[in-house]
Amino acid sequence: MRPGARTLLAVIGLTAALAGCSEEDRRAWVSILPLPSGEADTTAMSGGLSGALTITADSAAVLIGSDTLFTRARVPSRGPGGEPVRDGPIAQIVPSPDSTSIAFIGGADRSVVGVWSRKRQIAGIAAVYAGGGSGSLTWSPDGRYLAFGGSTAGGPSRVGVFDALEFRPESHPLLSWLTREGRASRPQSWIDARRLRVLVAPGGEPEGGLAYSWEMEGGSLVVESHIDPLAERAPAGSRLERGGVFSLDLLGDAGPETVALFTTAGGAPSGLVLENRGTDFRATATSPLVPPEALGLEDWQGVQRGAVLYQVATLGGRATLLLDLPSSSSLRAIGLFQAAGGGLAPMTLTGDGEPRPAIFYDGIFGDVSSQLGLVDLDADGALEVVAAVERAGAGLEPTLEWTVAPFRAQGDRLVPAPDLQGPAMETVRRASERG
């Protein structure tokens, strides 16, 4: 990816039968996946922590007994997204059950959530809630994952998880979309060592809401009441994609549907939508999501994976899934999908020639960089889609030339917006300069 291009991105799923579907297949479809047998970080002191665990009087360090464990000076200066970390006291500490890590809240406004690894002797930032505050530090039973919550100034509460073994925050595209939609989410409790119960509220206030199960190994984030019905409707012989199960409101009726992204036995990337029908459920599958020729493929033979959730956005007033589809080139093929006829259908791209599925390419191929951006170009509160292509210019001096194509979302269609050509080019120019 060329410098600056990724900045543009930042400006911004057949009714299935049970026949032949084994119990193991069903279990996989609710992301109760086999756990890895690799070694964990087991550096706990014999018998746990020895000595009192305290914060010093000046809130600048944490002590075990009389020995310094870590100091505020060792906290990184920037968070996961590059957010600056304000210097401030250590306000709260929570050791992991296995004593290998210590979670802390710091900063002058309690806006920083971090983890100190005793084995590595380093601190990592899990999240920064600028101008707001954090709390609800809860370790998984085995001490690998830290769940936490917090909110930025004026923003809804949101949930996060830090993996103390990989030493990085866990994320899910659905959680980012809920935050952008002003929906509050918060951790409630650990179901087991790998599944966290998350409460998602109907609005910005963290009151009430539905219980979701966030499964760390499989990456699923699904309404708990949909787990059993989804497993019962798993298509025989299908392979579920990692992170391929998630629940969101696709129909605009305030009730979540569940999407399952899977690959058929023949290799076709497919998707299933499970929706409530009163006290019953309906499952509708779309297989394949798009014909192979739409992706430059002759057929699905040799395709190694199905669709992967890349991002969730609101386009044309509707929840839209950006799916990373298999491609015939090194470029990433991003298809835009919405709910239609009970299943998933690609948005239609109109313009010159016949309408076609809305698929955009992202990445570098030779001396060409192709980028996809979602930007509110006309400040009307709705996102437009920008396809930007960068090529090396002709001449003796090395130059880079951008061409852009902006589109407006109208229902399930994307239509060209030539009147936004100027704002689109200016957005690309600013993004390149920041890079």
Side-chain angles (χ1 to χ4, degrees):
M1 193 75 50
R2 297 186 188 276
R6 187 58 64 189
T7 310
L8 176 60
L9 289 174
V11 175
I12 45 155
L14 87 111
T15 296
L18 274 173
C21 187
S22 69
E23 179 62 27
E24 183 176 352
D25 291 335
R26 296 189 201 112
R27 287 173 60 83
W29 261 65
V30 293
S31 293
I32 306 176
L33 303 179
L35 299 182
S37 57
E39 294 184 2
D41 185 351
T42 55
T43 58
M45 295 182 183
S46 177
L49 290 168
S50 60
L53 182 65
T54 59
I55 302 175
T56 59
D58 62 358
S59 300
V62 177
L63 306 178
I64 291 183
S66 59
D67 297 325
T68 300
L69 178 62
F70 77 94
T71 67
R72 190 175 62 199
R74 294 190 179 184
V75 176
S77 61
R78 294 196 172 270
E83 313 96 319
V85 174
R86 293 178 57 192
D87 190 24
I90 298 169
Q92 182 182 351
I93 53 175
V94 180
S96 64
D98 60 1
S99 301
T100 62
S101 303
I102 291 178
F104 62 90
I105 293 175
D109 50 5
R110 296 175 58 93
S111 63
V112 178
V113 178
V115 173
W116 171 261
S117 169
R118 294 176 53 219
K119 181 178 181 178
R120 299 180 176 97
Q121 289 292 293
I122 57 173
I125 301 299
V128 179
Y129 299 102
S134 53
S136 305
L137 304 182
T138 310
W139 286 99
S140 61
D142 63 353
R144 173 166 178 175
Y145 297 102
L146 172 74
F148 54 89
S151 61
T152 58
S157 63
R158 63 180 192 259
V159 62
V161 168
F162 188 89
D163 185 339
L165 182 59
E166 298 292 336
F167 218 68
R168 59 175 173 78
E170 293 284 346
S171 61
H172 196 286
L174 178 57
L175 292 174
S176 299
W177 179 72
L178 289 171
T179 299
R180 293 195 299 272
E181 289 291 296
R183 301 275 300 276
S185 60
R186 63 193 190 280
Q188 186 191 57
S189 60
W190 286 94
I191 302 170
D192 53 36
R194 294 295 181 267
R195 292 182 298 160
L196 175 69
R197 180 172 289 113
V198 175
L199 298 183
V200 177
E205 295 299 322
E207 304 296 335
L210 294 175
Y212 284 60
S213 173
W214 186 5
E215 203 272 325
M216 300 299 143
E217 295 294 336
S220 64
L221 184 59
V222 58
V223 174
E224 286 189 344
S225 60
H226 287 193
I227 288 178
D228 289 341
L230 180 66
E232 292 167 359
R233 290 158 175 80
S238 62
R239 184 185 76 248
L240 192 68
E241 296 299 326
R242 175 176 171 80
V245 181
F246 48 92
S247 301
L248 74 165
D249 180 12
L250 286 168
L251 302 178
D253 56 5
E257 289 73 44
T258 291
V259 176
L261 301 175
F262 66 95
T263 303
T264 65
S270 307
L272 181 146
V273 176
L274 182 80
E275 58 180 302
N276 287 85
R277 309 290 288 182
T279 59
D280 198 6
F281 294 88
R282 181 176 76 173
T284 307
T286 305
S287 184
L289 288 168
V290 292
E293 54 267 25
L295 298 168
L297 301 168
E298 294 183 3
D299 51 44
W300 302 115
Q301 298 299 317
V303 174
Q304 299 298 312
R305 66 168 179 84
V308 177
L309 180 62
Y310 179 67
Q311 187 176 331
V312 182
T314 301
L315 295 175
R318 300 175 58 186
T320 304
L321 306 179
L322 279 68
L323 302 183
D324 184 353
L325 301 167
S327 171
S328 60
S329 75
S330 59
L331 297 176
R332 173 183 283 167
I334 306 296
L336 279 60
F337 291 81
Q338 296 178 338
L344 291 176
M347 296 185 73
T348 301
L349 190 64
T350 64
D352 296 336
E354 291 294 321
R356 60 190 187 277
I359 299 174
F360 297 87
Y361 289 88
D362 180 76
I364 295 176
F365 185 76
D367 62 352
V368 176
S369 175
S370 179
Q371 304 296 327
L372 169 63
L374 302 178
V375 191
D376 182 3
L377 294 171
D378 51 9
D380 65 351
L383 295 174
E384 283 78 43
V385 176
V386 179
V389 177
E390 178 194 49
R391 293 182 174 88
L396 297 176
E397 294 293 328
T399 60
L400 297 175
E401 297 178 353
W402 284 97
T403 57
V404 297
F407 299 87
R408 282 191 177 94
Q410 296 181 353
D412 61 353
R413 298 182 302 147
L414 290 177
V415 299
D419 57 305
L420 297 178
Q421 189 81 18
M425 184 64 78
E426 178 63 18
T427 299
V428 171
R429 184 190 65 79
R430 290 198 306 265
S432 299
E433 289 178 352
R434 284 197 298 270

